[in-house]
Amino acid sequence: MFYNNLSAFYPLIDVFLKSQKKVLVQEINAQQRGALLEIGVGNGAHLRAYKKHKITGIDISPGMLEVARKQNCADVELYQMDGKALAFKCNQFDYVVLSHVIAVVDDADQLMREVERVLKPKGKVFILNHFTPENWLKYIDYAFSIISRFFHFKSVFHIQDVNSLNKLSLIKEVGLGLGSYYKLLIFQKDDKEVLRNHGIVIC
Ligand SMILES: C[S@@+](CC[C@H](N)C(=O)[O-])C[C@H]1O[C@@H](n2cnc3c(N)ncnc32)[C@H](O)[C@@H]1O
């Protein structure tokens, strides 16, 4: 599995992502205490930075999880699991974090269906990623699209193609450098009443 082999080198990649992850963690620590699920938790680089939430982390790669477990964070539950088939009940989490994961999974639509399912009404999703822009930078993404497959991510990534995100509302967008090529998007699930009014069954 690709990320098993990468687990030892991932801290090198992380150096470039440090400043944007700082913004992510600040946003999360500014929220009220709640149950937080990080999908694709990787080497667990964020775990120590989360200050007040009850943390559950999952990753499909046993190699990445092994590194995450070495962080020895008390009260953090880590499981090997596919984000597209979460073994959690509906409406269980206040927050879900996807940091550089949505363009890595093979079916982002199914991933977001699962995220929406496990999220409580009024729960929030934090998506940190690159987003292919409409300016000249898109040509760089197109140029890398074949190579990026070998590195198990999609260089061309348009959030509007993820249809299941329509069930959530975008409440905040933070540009994070390179002409907002990197962004933090925060989505929220509607509250129970709005969901019922839309005929959405709350499981
Ligand atoms: C680019 S790394 C990001 C790691 C971490 N979130 C970060 O920001 O440093 C992508 C992670 O997603 C995990 N991943 C890929 N597909 C997954 C899936 N279907 N379910 C859960 N994790 C997955 C990989 O194993 C890897 O650890």
Side-chain angles (χ1 to χ4, degrees):
M1 193 187 289
F2 179 75
Y3 277 97
N4 281 338
N5 302 326
L6 200 67
S7 59
F9 304 102
Y10 199 79
L12 294 174
I13 298 170
D14 235 7
V15 170
F16 297 101
L17 306 176
K18 215 169 185 156
S19 58
Q20 42 181 271
K21 288 185 171 188
K22 199 172 158 193
V23 176
L24 169 73
V25 167
Q26 271 168 359
E27 284 285 346
I28 288 167
N29 285 339
Q31 308 294 321
Q32 282 180 358
R33 181 178 158 80
L36 182 150
L37 171 66
E38 180 159 348
I39 297 179
V41 67
N43 62 4
H46 313 153
L47 295 176
R48 285 190 179 281
Y50 296 139
K51 293 298 174 211
K52 48 182 170 185
H53 305 295
K54 162 92 187 68
I55 310 290
T56 305
I58 68 129
D59 203 289
I60 204 162
S61 155
M64 289 297 253
L65 278 175
E66 203 180 309
V67 181
R69 287 202 174 96
K70 286 186 185 144
Q71 307 267 354
N72 278 328
C73 293
D75 294 334
V76 173
E77 292 177 19
L78 294 171
Y79 302 102
Q80 189 195 350
M81 204 183 287
D82 186 345
K84 305 190 303 301
L86 294 171
F88 299 116
K89 289 188 221 138
C90 300
N91 310 323
Q92 201 175 326
F93 295 98
D94 298 283
Y95 311 108
V96 176
V97 178
L98 296 164
S99 167
H100 295 285
V101 171
I102 196 164
V104 169
V105 293
D106 49 5
D107 185 348
D109 225 12
Q110 174 58 20
L111 172 74
M112 292 315 302
R113 260 194 292 277
E114 278 295 84
V115 168
E116 196 267 338
R117 182 182 69 74
V118 299
L119 206 57
K120 292 180 186 175
K122 293 184 97 172
K124 293 178 185 165
V125 190
F126 298 78
I127 302 179
L128 175 63
N129 218 80
H130 75 275
F131 298 92
T132 301
E134 282 313 312
N135 61 27
W136 60 272
L137 281 167
K138 67 182 172 194
Y139 297 110
I140 299 182
D141 277 356
Y142 293 152
F144 276 103
S145 68
I146 292 174
I147 298 172
S148 69
R149 274 184 233 154
F150 292 103
F151 292 95
H152 292 248
F153 76 101
K154 297 171 201 82
S155 64
V156 178
F157 180 73
H158 298 288
I159 194 81
Q160 58 272 28
D161 293 342
V162 185
N163 295 325
S164 49
L165 263 171
N166 292 342
K167 284 190 172 177
L168 303 167
S169 309
L170 181 65
I171 56 164
K172 190 165 179 180
E173 183 171 332
V174 187
L176 296 169
L178 267 189
S180 290
Y181 177 72
Y182 292 101
K183 282 183 205 166
L184 171 63
L185 302 183
I186 307 176
F187 289 84
Q188 187 163 34
K189 185 165 167 174
D190 287 333
D191 64 22
K192 275 186 191 159
E193 208 173 310
V194 176
L195 290 170
R196 270 197 212 101
N197 291 343
H198 282 89
I200 294 169
V201 180
I202 307 162
C203 56

